Amino acid sequence: MTPQTASAGPAPAAAEPPVISARNLSLFVRDGRKRIRIVSDVSFDIARGEFFALVGESGSGKTMIARAIMRLLPQRMLEIEGELSFSGTRLTDLSEARMRTLRGGAISMIFQEPMTSLDPLMPIGRQIEETMEVHSDLGHRARMERIEQLLSDVRFADPAKIARMYPNELSGGMRQRAMIAMALANNPRLLIADEPTTALDVTIQREVMEIIQRLRERHDLSVLFISHDLSLVHQYADRVGVLYAGVLMECGGEADVIGRSAHPYTAALLNCAPRRRVNGARRQGIPGTVPSPLEWDDGCRFRDRCQFADAKCAAAIPVSDRAPGWSARCVRPLS
């Protein structure tokens, strides 16, 4: 036996690809003959079992990224440039037939207002069963058992009764929990939650968040959680991306992005949280509004609302690493 042979060990296992990987992702919508950019060169990964929060004001492009992952809009309406992959497979290369097998199966999504997603004329249990008929080969009895288990998992005390009820018979929080149960019916690898707590009161918000967190840990589920509220996600997210006017301003671990924000926009979002007070008084909101995509240029898109902006902010702003796994797009970072 040669020394080389004696020292050779087993080949190292190949690294598992991210569940979602975006690289220089840009999105465009069509308005007649116009091609309007709504997301610009966004890059992030979501690992298996990771809770990644994408936060920012309305109009920042968060929901359009989610819709791009799900391929919910036809290419003639939403064009995708750059790389967008699911477990190593480029989503833009998949046929519509293949995407239909992923939607509701390996990739599931829950929405902000469940009443627009649930069929008002169909019992909750039957709606969950429909998704299972498409993506599983379980028989009827096994599906019924699975439905009751799912409804129990989202904290319904009488799941059999809930399965027979219609959406209008449930409260907003109960409908959202039913939507979570439906999203998990086929054991997805990725759950996209698009502002799922916005219409709920604070107590129900916490309950929904805790359900998502518990199910994520139990099933090793990756979560893309979309929100405008940094104060809501900080206790649940592993990593956070801060999106503004289609640009990822800051991205990194929760302790870095929220604990010691580098970008002035991240700090401004935190200061808007109702629970953040200085000497008993609420912090001031962010002046101005998110610029229209028709007004975007090469400079920092936050500069007209930023108290630290200067002439350098009118030029193209590169991404800079603040620490391993933590980056910001700012020429005058706060930390």
Side-chain angles (χ1 to χ4, degrees):
M1 182 178 291
T2 67
Q4 280 187 322
T5 304
S7 62
E16 183 177 6
V19 172
I20 283 291
S21 179
R23 286 291 175 273
N24 304 116
L25 176 68
S26 293
L27 303 178
F28 301 82
V29 295
R30 286 201 172 274
D31 181 11
R33 294 185 177 181
K34 292 181 180 178
R35 185 171 181 260
I36 304 170
R37 184 190 294 262
I38 55 172
V39 169
S40 300
D41 299 320
V42 166
S43 298
F44 63 87
D45 291 334
I46 305 176
R48 182 176 179 179
E50 185 175 55
F51 191 122
F52 182 84
L54 190 60
V55 299
E57 293 171 271
S58 297
S60 292
K62 308 182 302 298
T63 293
M64 295 308 292
I65 290 175
R67 290 180 179 274
I69 293 171
M70 295 287 284
R71 292 256 308 268
L72 289 176
L73 295 174
Q75 188 174 359
R76 67 179 181 274
M77 295 177 62
L78 180 67
E79 297 181 16
I80 302 173
E81 289 188 358
E83 183 177 324
L84 185 58
S85 300
F86 174 71
S87 295
T89 300
R90 287 176 61 95
L91 291 173
T92 49
D93 292 342
L94 298 181
S95 66
E96 178 56 27
R98 177 67 178 123
M99 278 304 305
R100 282 197 296 269
T101 68
L102 289 181
R103 293 191 204 106
I107 308 174
S108 285
M109 187 168 179
I110 55 177
F111 299 89
Q112 180 178 142
E113 179 43 67
M115 277 304 285
T116 63
S117 305
L118 294 170
D119 188 334
L121 303 179
M122 190 182 294
I124 294 297
R126 177 58 190 146
Q127 296 191 52
I128 299 175
E129 186 181 18
E130 274 197 335
T131 69
M132 298 170 69
E133 289 174 343
V134 174
H135 296 284
S136 79
D137 55 3
L138 295 176
H140 177 71
R141 177 170 295 182
R143 291 198 300 267
M144 292 302 99
E145 292 175 356
R146 171 74 172 152
I147 288 166
E148 291 194 18
Q149 181 60 56
L150 288 164
L151 292 172
S152 176
D153 287 345
V154 295
R155 297 183 180 175
F156 283 116
D158 191 345
K161 178 181 177 181
I162 295 297
R164 296 190 297 269
M165 296 176 71
Y166 289 82
N168 68 294
E169 298 178 282
L170 305 180
S171 68
M174 294 170 75
R175 288 193 293 265
Q176 197 58 279
R177 283 188 282 151
M179 280 293 299
I180 296 171
M182 186 183 303
L184 297 178
N186 296 298
N187 299 309
R189 281 177 278 166
L190 174 68
L191 175 65
I192 302 174
D194 186 6
E195 301 269 16
T197 63
T198 297
L200 308 177
D201 64 43
V202 173
T203 302
I204 304 302
Q205 279 186 0
R206 181 178 294 276
E207 181 180 26
V208 168
M209 294 296 293
E210 289 177 352
I211 288 171
I212 292 173
Q213 179 78 328
R214 178 169 52 86
L215 294 174
R216 166 229 172 182
E217 293 172 351
R218 179 187 299 178
H219 300 290
D220 202 18
L221 181 68
S222 301
V223 177
L224 171 57
F225 190 89
I226 294 171
S227 179
H228 62 275
D229 187 351
L230 273 171
S231 66
L232 175 67
V233 304
H234 83 92
Q235 58 189 309
Y236 302 100
D238 299 311
R239 295 173 56 249
V240 179
V242 181
L243 197 69
Y244 180 80
V247 172
L248 199 61
M249 296 295 192
E250 185 168 358
C251 189
E254 180 275 332
D256 291 322
V257 174
I258 296 181
R260 47 179 183 155
S261 310
H263 201 285
Y265 178 61
T266 308
L269 273 184
L270 282 167
N271 287 338
C272 290
R275 291 181 290 277
R276 281 218 162 192
R277 294 175 177 267
V278 177
N279 298 324
R282 284 186 60 177
R283 293 288 188 97
Q284 188 176 11
I286 307 173
T289 58
V290 179
S292 162
L294 300 176
E295 301 170 350
W296 292 351
D297 57 27
D298 291 336
C300 177
R301 293 173 187 169
F302 185 60
R303 67 183 185 274
D304 291 340
R305 306 173 71 188
C306 179
Q307 61 178 312
F308 304 106
D310 59 23
K312 293 180 181 179
C313 301
I317 309 298
V319 175
S320 62
D321 292 331
R322 312 309 305 160
W326 177 30
S327 62
R329 189 183 293 268
C330 184
V331 295
R332 298 185 61 187
L334 303 178
S335 59

